[in-house]
Amino acid sequence: MAVALITGANKGIGFETAKQLRELGHLVYVGARDVERGEKAAATLGARFVQLDVTDDASVSKALATIDAAEGRLDILVNNAGVLGYGAVDGPTALHAFDTNVVGVVRVTEAGLPLLRKSANPTVVNLSSSAGSFWAVTNPERPEFNLPVAFYSASKAAVTMLTVQYAKSEPGIKFNAIEPGTTATDLTAAFGVGRTPEESAKVVVRWATLDADGPTGTFQEESGELSW
Ligand code: NAP
């Protein structure tokens, strides 16, 4: 049984990932910034809840300290919390997108590293996006070519680069960046596109449950490796 933490697990792909990891028999911590929504999700799943706002250092430290005190290790970290950063093209909107999507990954990963290093098979999955692939956004054959989400794309490109950098600096821990597949969630509601979170969570779970000798430092979509 692995100990897993999923950020932003009160709904969407994060919730479904938590559900599927529970169904596999793992001990799951639902990280959510809102206590009521997080506790409700954890109760539904038979999971544990930690209050965790990825933009708040104190909240992240406290959440990881809670897991440390109870479990003494972390085997699976899914950096899932994210925002679209859609709307006004200005400094505050860009800061919010980068604070949540990029700095949030750094905060949670840094707080989680001491616990991950105590695991026999530590695995980190970063929810990136093909919208952050230079190859996809410059390829007219790909749907990302027409996506008008500059801050989201730029922040996810940074998440993918962070994944590679962490994979290099922490060779004992697997770090992979995932495009889960276009999914109908609150994040994409404005576009009215996507498949169910259940289907996309299967991709996340596959990468969260790698064997100890599994790949690291890669960028993946469901059908295989994604070009940078
Ligand atoms: P979603 O349904 O909107 O869920 C996003 C989750 O992130 C929610 O639980 C939300 O919590 C949480 N969150 C936002 N800001 C947070 C913060 N500061 N601290 C903690 N949690 C925070 O979106 P989703 O589609 O499931 O997205 C999950 C991940 O997959 C994101 O990283 C997204 O970029 C990535 N992704 C999605 C798609 C897609 O097609 N949907 C495609 C590629 C990648 P609240 O409920 O409190 O807002």
Side-chain angles (χ1 to χ4, degrees), residues 32-166:
R33 58 180 163 178
D34 182 88
V35 173
E36 202 176 312
R37 289 196 291 270
E39 278 182 343
K40 190 172 168 213
T44 305
L45 299 176
R48 298 180 187 186
F49 165 67
V50 276
Q51 194 278 335
L52 196 163
D53 181 336
V54 300
T55 64
D56 177 357
D57 286 293
S59 146
V60 171
S61 302
K62 200 170 157 211
L64 272 298
T66 300
I67 297 173
D68 191 13
E71 320 299 340
R73 73 177 205 278
L74 183 63
D75 303 301
I76 298 170
L77 169 60
V78 181
N79 281 312
N80 167 80
V83 293
L84 193 57
Y86 189 49
V89 181
D90 57 17
T93 310
L95 266 179
H96 178 60
F98 277 80
D99 195 14
T100 308
N101 295 355
V102 185
V103 188
V105 170
V106 175
R107 287 189 185 98
V108 178
T109 303
E110 289 299 317
L113 278 177
L115 287 176
L116 288 161
R117 291 187 191 118
K118 291 183 192 161
S119 167
N121 181 18
T123 305
V124 179
V125 179
N126 290 334
L127 271 286
S128 183
S129 172
S130 54
S133 156
F134 290 84
W135 168 79
V137 301
T138 54
N139 183 346
E141 307 287 311
R142 291 277 306 205
E144 297 84 356
F145 185 80
N146 294 310
L147 264 185
V149 287
F151 299 147
Y152 183 74
S153 289
S155 68
K156 292 298 185 178
V159 169
T160 307
M161 179 55 78
L162 275 174
T163 306
V164 174
Q165 297 297 336
Y166 271 121

Side-chain angles (χ1 to χ4, degrees), residues 135-218:
W135 168 79
V137 301
T138 54
N139 183 346
E141 307 287 311
R142 291 277 306 205
E144 297 84 356
F145 185 80
N146 294 310
L147 264 185
V149 287
F151 299 147
Y152 183 74
S153 289
S155 68
K156 292 298 185 178
V159 169
T160 307
M161 179 55 78
L162 275 174
T163 306
V164 174
Q165 297 297 336
Y166 271 121
K168 289 169 74 176
S169 64
E170 293 288 336
I173 304 174
K174 292 175 291 303
F175 284 87
N176 291 289
I178 301 297
E179 155 59 59
T182 305
T183 314
T185 61
D186 288 350
L187 189 103
T188 55
F191 304 104
V193 291
R195 61 184 184 176
T196 64
E198 289 91 329
E199 288 173 274
S200 298
K202 286 183 195 160
V203 183
V204 183
V205 168
R206 176 145 61 88
W207 285 89
T209 54
L210 294 174
D211 291 336
D213 61 353
T216 187
T218 72

